[in-house]
């Protein structure tokens, strides 16, 4: 079992729809959770951080965390073609506050 | 603020050659990291430096060395490059327990 798992996709949604990206993790002690967006040929860009159970909203993005189920998700409302990218989930390791474990990413395609 | 900068952007080496990848950050972060990213493999941690004066191995340290020159700078050295080290290399930095911020990357090809 991978430490951080994501569906590789591609997840294809029409413009204006809600895109839902999911991530599960294995380390029950993890405390910090991050979503990064990576355009093709570019570096990962932080878009959301979440540390406690529940929802956190920032503009069109909502991160949801459920520690009991070891599940974190990212919702993108009113999806735009410019949101087409790979989304990486990252989780800190309980044995290290410094190290993050990254999922392999979900590729999102927003159709005009 | 420039954030995290990396040099060079692109590099082609022959097998056995050596090179150093440079990374600098201006966010006053304590921790710095080196990753490689290969298709289908995701981001893999090579080395990290939790604070100035310390370095530790990550998942894939073989064939690499690092130097934390000062708080701002963290370099990655390939002593004898191999084709298996063809990859995109990212440097990142973070405050303690904070998110990591990435540089633009170095695309390295080893022939």
């Amino acid at each position: 079992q991978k430490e951080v798992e994501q569906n590789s996709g591609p997840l294809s949604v029409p413009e204006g729809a809600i895109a839902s990206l999911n991530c599960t993790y294995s380390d029950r002690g993890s405390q910090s959770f991050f979503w990064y967006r990576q355009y093709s040929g570019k570096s990962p860009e932080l878009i959301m951080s979440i540390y406690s159970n529940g929802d956190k909203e920032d503009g069109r993005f909502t991160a949801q965390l459920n520690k009991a189920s070891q599940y974190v998700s990212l919702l993108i409302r009113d999806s735009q073609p410019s949101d087409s990218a790979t989304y990486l989930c990252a989780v800190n390791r309980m044995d290290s506050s410094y190290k993050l474990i990254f999922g392999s990413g979900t590729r999102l395609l927003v159709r005009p | 603020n420039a954030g995290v900068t990396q040099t060079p952007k692109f590099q082609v080496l022959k097998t056995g050659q050596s090179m150093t990848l440079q990374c600098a950050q201006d966010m006053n972060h304590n921790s710095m990291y080196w990753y490689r990213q290969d298709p289908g493999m995701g981001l893999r941690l090579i080395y990290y430096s939790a604070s100035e004066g310390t370095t530790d191995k990550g998942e894939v340290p073989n064939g690499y060395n690092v130097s934390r020159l000062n708080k701002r700078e963290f370099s990655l050295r390939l002593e004898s490059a191999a084709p298996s080290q063809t990859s995109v290399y990212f440097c990142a930095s973070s405050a303690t327990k904070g998110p990591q911020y990435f540089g633009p990357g170095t695309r390295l090809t080893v022939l």
Side-chain angles (χ1 to χ4, degrees):
Chain A
Q1 181 190 5
K2 289 184 180 178
E3 291 184 78
V4 177
E5 295 209 53
Q6 296 181 256
N7 189 317
S8 61
L11 172 66
S12 181
V13 300
E15 184 174 355
I18 295 175
S20 177
L21 304 161
N22 304 315
C23 172
T24 58
Y25 61 94
S26 61
D27 187 343
R28 285 197 168 273
S30 296
Q31 298 178 352
S32 305
F33 306 86
F34 307 99
W35 282 100
Y36 289 82
R37 177 176 62 199
Q38 187 174 25
Y39 292 113
S40 181
K42 301 295 186 182
S43 59
E45 173 193 10
L46 178 72
I47 53 172
M48 290 290 285
S49 305
I50 188 165
Y51 302 96
S52 54
N53 278 331
D55 294 0
K56 179 181 178 183
E57 188 174 316
D58 184 359
R60 295 186 296 113
F61 298 101
T62 299
Q64 299 175 318
L65 175 61
N66 184 325
K67 289 185 179 179
S69 300
Q70 294 174 251
Y71 178 95
V72 57
S73 64
L74 179 70
L75 301 178
I76 305 175
R77 288 182 300 282
D78 188 24
S79 295
Q80 301 297 308
S82 58
D83 294 325
S84 297
T86 297
Y87 289 80
L88 305 174
C89 173
V91 177
N92 85 305
R93 294 184 60 154
M94 183 180 179
D95 63 348
S96 170
S97 59
Y98 308 102
K99 290 193 283 188
L100 296 181
I101 303 298
F102 286 83
S104 297
T106 298
R107 187 167 150 239
L108 173 66
L109 179 63
V110 181
R111 308 187 304 272
Chain B
N1 285 353
V4 181
T5 56
Q6 292 183 237
T7 56
K9 286 187 169 55
F10 301 93
Q11 184 71 49
V12 178
L13 293 178
K14 294 180 180 177
T15 297
Q17 288 185 317
S18 62
M19 78 162 297
T20 300
L21 282 64
Q22 306 285 357
C23 174
Q25 53 93 8
D26 63 3
M27 295 178 281
N28 201 35
H29 284 162
N30 287 324
S31 304
M32 298 185 72
Y33 312 82
W34 277 105
Y35 292 91
R36 60 180 290 174
Q37 188 175 40
D38 304 292
M41 299 293 289
L43 282 163
R44 292 183 293 169
L45 183 64
I46 305 170
Y47 270 94
Y48 69 103
S49 172
S51 60
E52 187 179 356
T54 70
T55 60
D56 284 288
K57 295 177 180 179
E59 296 175 71
V60 288
N62 290 346
Y64 305 95
N65 284 300
V66 291
S67 296
R68 182 76 182 264
L69 304 169
N70 48 55
K71 190 171 185 178
R72 290 186 64 246
E73 298 173 288
F74 189 37
S75 63
L76 179 72
R77 183 159 178 84
L78 287 69
E79 290 291 352
S80 179
S84 61
Q85 294 178 304
T86 293
S87 188
V88 181
Y89 291 85
F90 291 107
C91 177
S93 71
S94 73
T96 303
K97 296 187 180 181
Q100 294 179 15
Y101 296 89
F102 286 80
T106 295
R107 292 184 178 275
L108 174 66
T109 300
V110 183
L111 302 175

